[in-house]
């Protein structure tokens, strides 16, 4: 079975692509894309991988599900297509960056591709979703695959920064070798968590850059 994905990832994950669970997953995804409206577009499902080869990877941000509204999802967690209004979590991410680093963000610019191209892997645990039905593609096999991806990153890279936001992302810590990587944890940027004081002030963006600088890696330009 052929999966269109960045070559560096294709070689590493070949055994996953040829596994029985992944074949069943792809069959489900193809059927649902054929019969209903799903996001992101098929060509963008693996954007988190295509924009960030493993050799360039410096930072991993873990999301849960793609946005399920029309035109929002583009294959990068928390990111939306240009011109789409910022969802609440992305608004709070930008607010934290503004306070932390002083950058301002335009209301029509929420595409985080610039981050990905600098080595930030924006990985959702589930890579597809049915329109207006959050979680509709969960427990179909995507989580098995993305857990494997996190393990591969942990095993095959060094000094990667993992940003774990919220209880779901924090559960992935068990897949990470914390002796060789930097793990930063906080509440989720969603309004429910942020308004309770679990998000704002975490300074993850400056802390991430300080760590990268300390190990001789170039910082991430978090502006867009």
């Amino acid at each position: 079975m052929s999966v269109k994905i960045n070559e560096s990832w294709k070689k590493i994950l070949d055994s996953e692509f040829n596994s029985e669970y992944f074949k069943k997953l792809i069959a489900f995804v193809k059927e649902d894309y054929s019969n209903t409206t799903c996001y992101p577009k098929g060509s963008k499902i693996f954007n988190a991988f295509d924009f960030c080869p493993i050799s360039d990877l410096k930072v991993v941000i873990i999301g849960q599900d793609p946005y399920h509204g029309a035109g929002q999802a583009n294959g990068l967690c928390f990111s939306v297509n240009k011109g789409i209004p910022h969802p609440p979590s992305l608004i709070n991410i930008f607010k934290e960056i503004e306070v932390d680093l002083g950058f301002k963000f335009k209301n029509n610019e929420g595409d985080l591709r610039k981050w990905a191209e600098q080595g930030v892997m924006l990985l959702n645990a589930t890579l597809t979703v049915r329109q207006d039905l959050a979680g509709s593609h969960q427990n179909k096999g995507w989580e098995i695959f993305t857990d494997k991806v996190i393990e591969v990153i942990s095993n095959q890279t060094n000094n990667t920064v993992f940003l774990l936001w919220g209880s779901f992302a924090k559960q992935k810590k068990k897949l990470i070798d914390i002796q060789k990587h930097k793990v930063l944890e906080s509440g989720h940027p969603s309004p429910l968590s942020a308004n309770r004081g679990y998000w704002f002030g975490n300074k993850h963006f400056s802390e991430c850059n300080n760590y990268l600088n300390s190990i001789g890696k170039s910082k991430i330009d978090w502006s867009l």
Side-chain angles (χ1 to χ4, degrees), residues 96-103 205-206 209 220 222:
E96 176 59 25
I97 295 175
E98 286 178 11
V99 173
D100 191 11
L101 299 172
F103 297 135
F205 304 95
S206 61
N209 276 348
I220 304 300
W222 296 105

Side-chain angles (χ1 to χ4, degrees), residues 75-138:
L76 306 174
C77 72
F78 296 108
S79 175
V80 291
N81 289 309
K82 192 168 184 176
I84 297 294
H86 299 162
S89 290
L90 187 58
I91 289 172
N92 286 336
I93 289 170
F94 286 164
K95 283 181 178 178
E96 176 59 25
I97 295 175
E98 286 178 11
V99 173
D100 191 11
L101 299 172
F103 297 135
K104 292 286 186 181
F105 295 91
K106 297 177 181 178
N107 292 333
N108 67 340
E109 182 54 273
D111 188 343
L112 305 182
R113 178 171 177 169
K114 181 182 173 183
W115 296 0
E117 290 174 337
Q118 295 177 78
V120 181
M121 188 169 199
L122 297 159
L123 181 67
N124 274 316
T126 302
L127 299 188
T128 55
V129 69
R130 190 182 297 182
Q131 181 177 340
D132 299 329
L133 202 58
S136 48
H137 286 191
Q138 290 178 4

